[in-house]
Amino acid sequence: MRLITLTPAALCTVFLTAPSTAAPIGDFDWPLQPRPAVVRPFDNPEHDWLPGHRGVDLAGSDGQSVLSAGDGIVVFAGTVADKPVISIDHPGGLRTTYEPVSAAVPVGRRVTRGAPIGILRPGHPPCSPCLHWGVRREREYLDPLGLIRHAPVRLKPLIIEPQHA
């Protein structure tokens, strides 16, 4: 067996692609700590009028601190359909939403990634208490898990066996 060292120019380019509904990876992190379990994944319907799940549900506990997933400005902190909701605008035209969350920050407040923005409350069936976390760009809903930077891709040495004629 021989170990062959390849120069960067000799390596193939690896493309990692995400579904078109995925948000771009950036300077974002989980809105709950420690890293929560995903109780219900993103399920974007084919058409806007069809039912779906336009966000993810993250396991949490009543009274748990909810954190801003990224740097931005609080643009809404109030009640929608009897649930407390917070919305934050981020650079690049993204808006994240968090519910049911009692706001600890006023509208207009600039927040940074990881800053506490409110307290998780019960009231999001069927997994209460859990955080419904959503993201959209303009009117297009995206998978918020696409915001999270996963472990980096690492290439391992390539071992090539000599070919025998």
Side-chain angles (χ1 to χ4, degrees), residues 143-156:
D143 184 352
L145 298 181
L147 294 174
I148 305 299
R149 185 176 308 277
H150 296 284
V153 174
R154 299 192 197 289
L155 298 177
K156 295 190 175 196

Side-chain angles (χ1 to χ4, degrees), residues 5-123:
T5 304
L6 298 175
T7 65
L11 292 174
C12 297
T13 303
V14 177
F15 291 96
L16 297 177
T17 59
S20 63
T21 56
I25 294 173
D27 293 325
F28 291 86
D29 205 349
W30 293 96
L32 296 175
Q33 292 296 330
R35 179 181 172 169
V38 176
V39 177
R40 185 172 175 201
F42 180 74
D43 179 21
N44 199 25
E46 186 176 340
H47 300 288
D48 290 343
W49 63 87
L50 292 174
H53 193 242
R54 294 166 178 90
V56 295
D57 291 344
L58 305 175
S61 58
D62 187 18
Q64 183 174 0
S65 184
V66 177
L67 313 172
S68 176
D71 297 351
I73 297 173
V74 177
V75 293
F76 182 81
T79 303
V80 176
D82 295 326
K83 291 182 189 173
V85 177
I86 299 173
S87 296
I88 299 174
D89 279 356
H90 305 276
L94 295 176
R95 175 174 287 181
T96 54
T97 57
Y98 311 79
E99 69 172 79
V101 177
S102 296
V105 291
V107 170
R109 171 77 48 92
R110 198 171 286 281
V111 293
T112 58
R113 177 183 63 190
I117 57 171
I119 301 297
L120 183 61
R121 296 295 177 210

